[in-house]
Amino acid sequence: MAAVGASVAQGHEDYLVSRARSCIKTDPYAAKAWLITARSLFPQSFTIQFEAYSMEKNAGHIQEAAKLLQEMLETFYGEHTLISEVQSISEALQSENMDANTVLHKDLFDALPPSMQHQMLLRVAEQKQDTLDQCKTMLLILKRFPDMVGKHGVKLIETLLSAEKHAHFHTPINCYRKYLVHDVLPLIIKSQTETRTKQLYKWLQKSIEFYVSYISQAQSPDGSGGLSSPGQELLSPTKKMSVSFSAGGMKRMPCIQGLTDKDGHISKPWDSLSQLLEMSAPSLGWCEEGFFKKSSKESQWQDLLLTYHKSQQSDFSTWHKQVLYCSMLLLLQCVHEYQGRMDPGLFAGVPMGPQQPLVLIEGFKSGDEEQPVGPKHKKPKMDTSIPVIHASNNIVNSSAVIQNFMTSIKCWELLHSDSLEKEFKKLCSHIKTENWPWLKSFEADMLLYQGHFREAVSLLQNQKLSLRPGAQSRTDVQMACCYFSTSNLSKCCEMALNVLSTIPQSSQSHSTPVAPPQCSARGRWLHLLPCTDAEILPYCIQLLLACFKEKAFSASQDDMSLGHMIVLMQYDWPKHEALFLQALSKIKKQGSFTYNLFFNYVINIDILEEFAFLKSKDGGKTNLDILPTSIKLLAQQRTVTRGVHKGVKEDFRGAMEKQVARAGEHLGDVIWQFLTNEREFLQQNLL
């Protein structure tokens, strides 16, 4: 009988609802009357209650609909239809769309009492099966109800950390870490929620690792920075990242793994990280000096130095932490900007443009000796004084590159001071700096700058195992100058020749060579050069010239080194004329000179004239064995019918005439052929 009664009641409910629906379009007041009657007769009927809510909602009666919604939330929350409606309201609150339905749901939510809003969203979060979806709803609660941050914030961070751990990401750039450090943590710090200092430092370490990893994401091999485009809905954490382009010739950073395009980008990551540290300062007991308010990196460095000196005169340990974290922030920012300019293709999200990679290398002393800075065999003591960096005129805004480099070195040295080094190494371990190869590239440049050439070579050799395409020549030219500075001439030659075989030849290779600038000041100095053949080829030739000079002017006679040196002297003639005259003087003193590659590669008129004079009576009739091997064999076959000396003389004159005819050839091409074709001989000569 009870079942029959329930069935009859349900039939009556359905009848009243159907009558109300039939009147909505023709007589809305009659429809409302039918539902009022229905609610009076069946006050516990969810169907009638939800129908009344839907009618008020569709009519745009926000207050009436909100009141009915509140009553249902208090009485019928377990109903599936109501749960679906509440989830739709929650999704509208997280949407940036302004369509009519979304606006209506937002207005309905705003019309509810705050306590009911909070309770409703908590229930929505509890219903979520997906951890990320649940965290997004909890984040919405924290933003809507700041007074609830203390109650829910720390628990939400623990949930995100646990979810990230169990998702087994291979990178900190993931959806859970992004919500933790970029969305939740700032709310917790702003609310001054009581947290343990150790716990806050742990969160800051997570933040530094995330932001710096996000900023320093590598370009993909095709230069696009990404692999696929995200959908409109929330992505699975296993989905790949994508990249998009923004106005102004800038690439946007790849979308964070597991998020939509809207949520997966951070517009100013460095600013976000700085603000996070600044907000944390009071909770950590840092002195409020104004490091974060400084507009320039030099001002920040001066402020850091002041705080460091104060910390040295005090037992206030929190100041040491402040110096540690602020120095690390400034170091990473300067190194990132420096490396981004040294290798424009290194990071995703950098300005798009035709900028060339740059390279920092040991400089050459000025003067006729053309000797790179480095140890002589008789004077092994090296000059490791602080060098000056001279930039090529072809580098745009080179002062900013140098300033970032110098500030990075100062921060690095500060962090390696006795009072900070141990903590710095711990921090590096926590934020996993070993995963940032660009930091190692800076370290190699710094070692070269400091004159620690052997350490620099060791670091560069390790880097070569995982070099990005196109970076080979930069590493090789740095290794070449380091090997020369440690008197390893054979390896220097090998690396210099590697550079010439890997660096692409441009149309500029046929223009006037761009010689590295010279410096008349005493002490060391470094070049900052674009990594192009027009700039690097002259440097490598000077380096090779210096290597062969070391051997050619040694006590023993080494005509092969002297010959190689004479070929290279042609480049950028008459720059090396004084050195050539020294070579002629040595040949005269020896009384003989053997170099059978002479007529293959020597085409400079001045040099040819000098050698012709050496062969003449007035020049001392120096014994010059410089004819190609093929001509010498022919000469030997003619000795039966002709005098040896007469035949050689005619062969020499003929070879000279042919060389004069070649004087119009492009010297850059001749030198390039020499270095390419005779690579094996060049290397063997320096063993």
Side-chain angles (χ1 to χ4, degrees):
M1 289 297 292
V4 172
S7 177
V8 171
Q10 181 64 44
H12 290 161
E13 290 175 27
D14 292 343
Y15 171 74
L16 293 170
V17 169
S18 66
R19 290 291 298 180
R21 287 177 177 173
S22 66
C23 298
I24 287 177
K25 292 184 179 180
T26 58
D27 191 352
Y29 293 103
K32 190 169 185 178
W34 276 106
L35 286 175
I36 291 173
T37 302
R39 291 178 64 198
S40 300
L41 292 172
F42 303 100
Q44 299 303 314
S45 171
F46 171 74
T47 303
I48 291 174
Q49 193 82 350
F50 192 82
E51 187 67 27
Y53 161 75
S54 298
M55 187 179 71
E56 297 293 354
K57 171 187 165 184
N58 294 334
H61 301 154
I62 301 299
Q63 295 300 325
E64 293 84 347
K67 184 178 179 181
L68 291 167
L69 178 61
Q70 182 178 352
E71 292 176 6
M72 287 190 294
L73 289 170
E74 292 171 346
T75 310
F76 305 108
Y77 189 77
E79 293 288 342
H80 178 75
T81 306
L82 181 59
I83 292 174
S84 179
E85 177 69 10
V86 168
Q87 287 178 343
S88 296
I89 294 173
S90 171
E91 290 169 4
L93 294 174
Q94 299 176 63
S95 173
E96 293 183 351
N97 294 332
M98 295 303 291
D99 58 88
N101 192 50
T102 301
V103 172
L104 178 61
H105 280 127
K106 288 181 178 180
D107 290 342
L108 270 172
F109 181 84
D110 291 338
L112 293 171
S115 60
M116 182 53 67
Q117 291 177 344
H118 179 223
Q119 185 181 357
M120 187 189 85
L121 290 176
L122 276 178
R123 286 177 174 177
V124 170
E126 291 169 1
Q127 294 288 333
K128 298 288 187 183
Q129 298 298 315
D130 181 78
T131 303
L132 185 60
D133 229 353
Q134 185 183 63
C135 290
K136 288 184 70 176
T137 306
M138 290 303 301
L139 178 60
L140 178 62
I141 294 173
L142 299 187
K143 289 180 177 179
R144 285 271 177 172
F145 308 101
D147 55 325
M148 292 288 106
V149 172
K151 183 177 180 180
H152 304 299
V154 175
K155 184 179 179 181
L156 178 55
I157 282 187
E158 290 172 352
T159 301
L160 288 164
L161 286 171
S162 176
E164 180 185 32
K165 180 180 179 181
H166 289 94
H168 301 295
F169 285 109
H170 299 294
T171 169
I173 314 169
N174 60 73
C175 49
Y176 301 116
R177 184 74 70 89
K178 184 265 180 181
Y179 277 123
L180 192 158
V181 307
H182 187 69
D183 299 297
V184 180
L185 189 53
L187 295 176
I188 292 177
I189 295 172
K190 276 182 185 177
S191 69
Q192 298 183 335
T193 300
E194 187 175 347
T195 55
R196 291 181 291 110
T197 301
K198 185 177 180 180
Q199 189 178 45
L200 184 51
Y201 274 120
K202 178 184 176 182
W203 294 340
L204 289 179
Q205 290 164 8
K206 294 282 186 182
S207 302
I208 294 171
E209 183 190 12
F210 168 78
Y211 278 117
V212 178
S213 297
Y214 175 78
I215 292 163
S216 60
Q217 291 176 80
Q219 285 276 30
S220 61
D222 62 358
S224 66
L227 299 171
S228 63
S229 298
Q232 295 301 311
E233 301 301 322
L234 186 69
L235 299 178
S236 162
T238 58
K239 288 290 181 69
K240 295 178 179 179
M241 293 181 285
S242 68
V243 73
S244 54
F245 294 84
S246 61
M250 292 285 290
K251 286 181 188 173
R252 291 177 67 192
M253 299 299 294
C255 186
I256 294 171
Q257 204 166 354
L259 296 179
T260 62
D261 188 70
K262 176 177 72 72
D263 293 332
H265 289 99
I266 300 173
S267 58
K268 296 180 179 179
W270 281 121
D271 290 349
S272 297
L273 179 56
S274 296
Q275 289 164 11
L276 196 60
L277 287 173
E278 185 178 11
M279 286 190 295
S280 305
S283 302
L284 297 170
W286 292 357
C287 61
E288 298 183 14
E289 288 293 332
F291 170 84
F292 300 100
K293 305 296 183 185
K294 304 296 183 183
S295 58
S296 70
K297 294 183 179 67
E298 181 58 31
S299 300
Q300 288 182 321
W301 165 250
Q302 293 300 330
D303 187 85
L304 263 178
L305 210 54
L306 180 64
T307 307
Y308 173 73
H309 290 315
K310 287 181 180 179
S311 71
Q312 295 299 100
Q313 301 165 8
S314 168
D315 294 330
F316 200 28
S317 61
T318 55
W319 284 15
H320 290 273
K321 288 283 190 180
Q322 178 180 353
V323 174
L324 173 67
Y325 278 80
C326 291
S327 298
M328 177 63 95
L329 175 66
L330 185 57
L331 169 69
L332 294 174
Q333 190 168 4
C334 289
V335 171
H336 178 265
E337 291 183 17
Y338 170 74
Q339 287 299 136
R341 185 62 191 88
M342 295 297 284
D343 188 356
L346 183 60
F347 302 125
V350 297
M352 297 167 63
Q355 291 182 326
Q356 294 288 347
L358 308 179
V359 62
L360 188 70
I361 41 182
E362 192 74 7
F364 283 71
K365 286 182 179 178
S366 62
D368 292 337
E369 73 276 9
E370 299 296 336
Q371 182 73 27
V373 176
K376 294 182 178 180
H377 292 299
K378 295 182 180 180
K379 297 179 181 180
K381 187 176 180 180
M382 292 192 298
D383 176 11
T384 56
S385 58
I386 297 175
V388 178
I389 299 176
H390 289 269
S392 165
N393 294 330
N394 294 322
I395 300 175
V396 178
N397 199 15
S398 60
S399 59
V401 181
I402 295 172
Q403 183 186 26
N404 277 320
F405 180 62
M406 297 307 301
T407 304
S408 300
I409 290 178
K410 288 186 283 190
C411 288
W412 184 274
E413 290 174 343
L414 177 64
L415 288 165
H416 281 79
S417 60
D418 293 339
S419 59
L420 290 174
E421 185 172 15
K422 185 177 178 181
E423 289 297 317
F424 171 64
K425 289 181 178 178
K426 279 185 181 179
L427 181 57
C428 288
S429 175
H430 288 314
I431 64 177
K432 301 179 178 63
T433 58
E434 69 274 9
N435 295 328
W436 301 336
W438 51 273
L439 194 57
K440 287 293 183 184
S441 296
F442 155 74
E443 194 176 342
D445 285 2
M446 180 181 64
L447 289 170
L448 196 155
Y449 173 85
Q450 294 170 335
H452 301 148
F453 301 111
R454 287 185 173 84
E455 293 88 340
V457 166
S458 177
L459 199 56
L460 289 166
Q461 282 177 328
N462 291 334
Q463 281 184 290
K464 288 187 74 171
L465 301 175
S466 57
L467 275 180
R468 193 180 64 80
Q472 181 74 44
S473 55
R474 294 177 65 249
T475 302
D476 284 342
V477 72
Q478 286 190 311
M479 291 182 69
C481 73
C482 288
Y483 278 128
F484 182 86
S485 298
T486 55
S487 296
N488 193 335
L489 303 185
S490 176
K491 293 296 290 184
C492 172
C493 177
E494 179 186 344
M495 291 298 109
L497 293 173
N498 283 348
V499 174
L500 299 174
S501 64
T502 57
I503 195 166
Q505 284 187 271
S506 67
S507 58
Q508 293 181 347
S509 63
H510 292 278
S511 60
T512 303
V514 182
Q518 300 297 314
C519 180
S520 58
R522 299 185 64 183
R524 292 178 55 231
W525 68 300
L526 283 84
H527 297 300
L528 182 63
L529 301 177
C531 202
T532 61
D533 62 324
E535 299 262 8
I536 297 301
L537 178 60
Y539 179 84
C540 288
I541 287 175
Q542 288 196 44
L543 201 55
L544 290 169
L545 191 55
C547 288
F548 290 114
K549 179 190 169 185
E550 286 279 344
K551 290 205 69 179
F553 288 102
S554 60
S556 60
Q557 182 173 335
D558 189 340
D559 285 357
M560 186 64 76
S561 295
L562 198 60
H564 294 335
M565 193 176 73
I566 290 169
V567 174
L568 294 173
M569 284 180 199
Q570 298 177 99
Y571 195 80
D572 202 16
W573 185 266
K575 178 181 176 182
H576 306 290
E577 187 174 9
L579 184 59
F580 173 65
L581 294 176
Q582 293 179 41
L584 284 180
S585 177
K586 179 175 175 61
I587 291 172
K588 287 180 181 178
K589 188 176 180 180
Q590 293 176 176
S592 65
F593 176 64
T594 301
Y595 187 66
N596 299 122
L597 296 175
F598 185 91
F599 285 107
N600 290 356
Y601 303 109
V602 178
I603 62 172
N604 179 276
I605 289 292
D606 295 336
I607 294 177
L608 293 174
E609 286 180 351
E610 290 294 339
F611 270 85
F613 180 73
L614 279 179
K615 190 72 173 174
S616 67
K617 182 178 180 181
D618 294 336
K621 289 189 176 181
T622 304
N623 183 19
L624 299 179
D625 185 5
I626 59 176
L627 289 173
T629 305
S630 58
I631 296 179
K632 288 172 62 179
L633 290 174
L634 288 174
Q636 291 171 3
Q637 294 171 7
R638 291 195 302 260
T639 55
V640 177
T641 57
R642 304 173 61 183
V644 175
H645 296 294
K646 183 178 180 182
V648 170
K649 185 176 181 181
E650 290 177 356
D651 290 335
F652 184 85
R653 184 188 304 114
M656 275 292 180
E657 289 173 355
K658 288 181 180 180
Q659 289 305 101
V660 170
R662 292 182 60 196
E665 294 181 18
H666 187 264
L667 266 171
D669 290 342
V670 174
I671 299 297
W672 200 290
Q673 291 168 10
F674 168 68
L675 297 174
T676 303
N677 298 340
E678 312 303 336
R679 177 185 177 116
E680 186 176 346
F681 287 117
L682 294 170
Q683 288 183 243
Q684 286 179 353
N685 188 235
L686 292 171
L687 290 175

